[in-house]
C-alpha cells in the first residue's frame, strides 16, 4: 500500500508491514508513478493539486488532512466512499497561543500603539494613569466576559489561559454542560449572553450551517466596546457587517486571522480600520504531533479498526 506524504511538513510515521511512502509536491499535479496510491496525506495543498488528486487517484481509499478543518478536502471532489480524517488536536496549542496574543493586542491597543510608533507619536492617551475599572471599554482580561463560540480542543486549551489572566470564560457548543471546568451553553442561549460579552472569540469550522453565522444580528447584540476575534474560518463571518459595525461605532474592534477570501484583497476596507488587527492565517501552520496521528491512523487503517477524527460526509 502506498501513502503519499506532502512536501510541506516533515513526517516520520511508523509504518505497518507492507506500507510504503512517497513525498509529493503539493503545488503541482501528481506524477504518473504515484497514481496508484491508496492513501493521501494533505497539508498546505493548492486547490488545483487537491482537485487533480481527486480526479486522478483512482485507487485512493483514505485522505488524511493535517488541517483541523477538512473543508478544502471536502470541496476537492473525492468520491463519497473515500474516508476523510481531520487533524483535530494538532493545532490546539498554536492556535490557542495566537488567539491569546490577538485578544491581548486588542485589550492593550497594540494596533494603535504601533500606528503611533510608525508616526513617531507618543500616544499619551493610551499610557499613564488608567482607570482600575472601565465598564465602557475593553482594556483588560481581568473580570472580562469572554465567549468562545466553538468549544472544541482549541477552546479547551485557550480557556485556561484566559482564565489565568482573570477572564470569565463561557463556551458555546452543540451540547450544554461543563467541559474542562468551564460552563458551555448551546446556540439557543447565545443571544442572551451577547449584551454582557466583552470578547467574542469565534473558532467555528466551515460548514454549510456555519456560513455567515457571525452576522449583523449577532454583532448588533454585542456592547459597543466589545471585540470580535476570528480564528475559525473566514466563511463564518459576515465581513461587511463587521466593517459596518466598527465604522459606525457599534463595535469596539476586531482581530482577524481568517478571511472569506485569502489573501485578503488589497481593496478590503478592513485594512484601513485602526481598530482592526489583521494576521495572515498565522494562528496554526504547525501541525504538532502529525507523525503520531498518522502512525495511529495507519495502523488502524491496515487493521480495519476505527480511525481518529473521521469526518462525516
Amino acid at each position: 500500500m502506498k501513502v503519499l506524504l506532502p512536501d510541506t511538513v516533515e513526517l516520520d510515521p511508523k509504518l505497518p508491514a507492507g506500507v510504503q511512502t512517497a513525498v509529493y509536491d503539493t503545488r503541482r499535479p501528481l506524477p504518473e508513478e504515484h497514481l496508484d496510491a491508496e492513501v493521501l496525506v494533505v497539508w498546505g495543498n493548492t486547490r488545483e493539486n487537491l482537485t487533480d488528486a481527486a480526479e486522478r487517484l483512482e485507487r485512493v481509499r483514505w485522505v488524511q488532512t493535517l488541517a483541523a478543518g477538512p473543508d478544502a478536502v471536502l470541496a476537492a471532489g473525492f468520491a463519497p466512499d473515500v474516508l476523510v480524517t481531520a487533524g483535530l488536536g494538532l493545532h490546539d496549542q498554536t492556535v490557542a497561543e495566537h488567539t491569546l496574543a490577538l485578544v491581548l493586542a486588542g485589550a492593550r491597543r497594540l494596533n494603535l500603539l504601533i500606528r503611533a510608533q510608525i508616526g513617531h507619536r507618543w500616544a499619551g492617551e493610551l499610557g499613564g494613569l488608567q482607570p482600575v475599572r472601565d465598564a465602557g471599554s475593553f482594556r483588560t482580561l481581568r473580570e472580562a466576559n469572554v465567549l468562545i463560540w466553538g468549544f472544541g480542543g482549541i477552546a479547551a486549551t485557550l480557556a485556561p489561559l484566559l482564565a489565568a489572566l482573570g477572564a470569565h470564560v463561557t463556551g458555546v457548543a452543540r451540547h450544554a454542560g461543563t467541559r474542562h471546568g468551564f460552563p458551555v451553553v448551546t446556540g439557543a442561549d447565545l443571544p442572551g449572553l451577547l449584551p454582557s460579552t466583552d470578547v467574542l472569540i469565534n473558532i467555528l469550522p466551515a460548514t454549510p450551517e456555519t456560513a455567515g453565522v457571525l452576522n449583523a444580528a449577532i454583532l448588533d447584540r454585542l456592547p459597543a466596546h466589545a471585540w470580535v476575534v476570528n480564528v475559525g474560518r473566514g466563511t463564518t463571518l459576515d465581513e461587511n457587517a463587521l466593517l459596518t459595525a466598527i465604522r459606525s461605532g457599534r463595535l469596539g474592534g476586531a482581530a482577524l486571522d481568517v478571511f472569506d477570501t485569502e489573501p485578503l484583497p488589497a481593496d478590503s476596507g478592513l485594512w484601513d480600520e485602526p481598530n482592526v488587527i489583521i494576521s495572515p492565517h498565522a494562528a496554526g501552520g504547525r501541525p504538532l504531533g502529525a507523525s503520531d496521528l498518522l502512525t495511529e491512523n495507519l495502523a488502524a487503517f491496515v487493521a480495519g479498526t476505527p480511525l481518529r477524527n473521521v469526518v462525516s460526509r
Side-chain angles (χ1 to χ4, degrees):
M1 183 176 71
K2 180 183 288 185
V3 178
L4 295 184
L5 303 178
D7 64 352
T8 46
V9 61
E10 185 176 346
L11 295 169
D12 186 26
K14 295 181 175 64
L15 302 178
V19 175
Q20 59 177 318
T21 62
V23 176
Y24 71 98
D25 188 338
T26 59
R27 299 160 298 177
R28 301 177 60 84
L30 294 174
E32 293 289 333
E33 64 265 28
H34 292 328
L35 296 184
D36 59 341
E38 297 181 54
V39 179
L40 178 70
V41 181
V42 170
W43 178 242
N45 301 56
T46 65
R47 182 179 304 175
E48 294 77 13
N49 173 272
L50 283 178
T51 301
D52 172 76
E55 292 176 351
R56 298 171 60 226
L57 285 177
E58 296 182 355
R59 297 180 58 185
V60 68
R61 295 189 290 146
W62 165 36
V63 177
Q64 168 73 67
T65 176
L66 302 183
D71 40 299
V73 170
L74 297 180
F78 288 94
D81 61 343
V82 174
L83 181 69
V84 176
T85 53
L88 297 176
L90 304 183
H91 307 276
D92 293 354
Q93 293 183 18
T94 54
V95 176
E97 182 179 40
H98 194 84
T99 306
L100 178 63
L102 292 177
V103 172
L104 288 174
R108 293 297 178 161
R109 302 298 190 267
L110 295 189
N111 51 311
L112 301 181
L113 293 173
I114 290 172
R115 283 174 176 255
Q117 179 180 348
I118 292 173
H120 294 195
R121 184 181 71 85
W122 182 264
E125 72 279 8
L126 297 174
L129 303 181
Q130 303 290 325
V132 175
R133 293 181 179 85
D134 185 356
S137 179
F138 169 58
R139 295 297 299 274
T140 177
L141 277 173
R142 189 183 64 256
E143 301 297 326
N145 292 320
V146 179
L147 203 58
I148 304 179
W149 198 356
F151 207 87
I154 294 171
T157 303
L158 173 64
L161 304 178
L162 298 168
L165 293 174
H168 304 296
V169 181
T170 301
V172 182
R174 292 181 179 178
H175 304 288
T178 300
R179 297 187 192 178
H180 308 283
F182 295 92
V184 176
V185 301
T186 67
D189 300 307
L190 179 64
L193 293 174
L194 293 173
S196 60
T197 295
D198 298 300
V199 185
L200 173 59
I201 300 174
N202 176 29
I203 319 182
L204 290 172
T207 67
E209 295 75 25
T210 62
V213 70
L214 186 44
N215 54 27
I218 297 294
L219 299 175
D220 286 347
R221 294 190 67 84
L222 289 167
H225 69 268
W227 273 63
V228 169
V229 178
N230 190 14
V231 293
R233 283 292 185 264
T235 56
T236 64
L237 171 65
D238 185 335
E239 292 176 5
N240 289 329
L242 177 72
L243 192 56
T244 297
I246 290 176
R247 284 177 170 172
S248 66
R250 274 288 303 117
L251 196 65
L256 311 174
D257 184 59
V258 290
F259 303 88
D260 192 25
T261 300
E262 295 182 0
L264 182 66
D267 61 355
S268 171
L270 294 170
W271 287 111
D272 296 321
E273 287 302 312
N275 285 319
V276 173
I277 299 172
I278 291 173
S279 64
H281 206 139
R286 310 162 189 84
L288 306 179
S291 290
D292 291 338
L293 174 63
L294 191 53
T295 294
E296 180 180 338
N297 271 352
L298 277 172
F301 187 72
V302 170
T305 57
L307 279 66
R308 275 178 56 190
N309 303 340
V310 172
V311 176
S312 300
R313 303 178 66 186

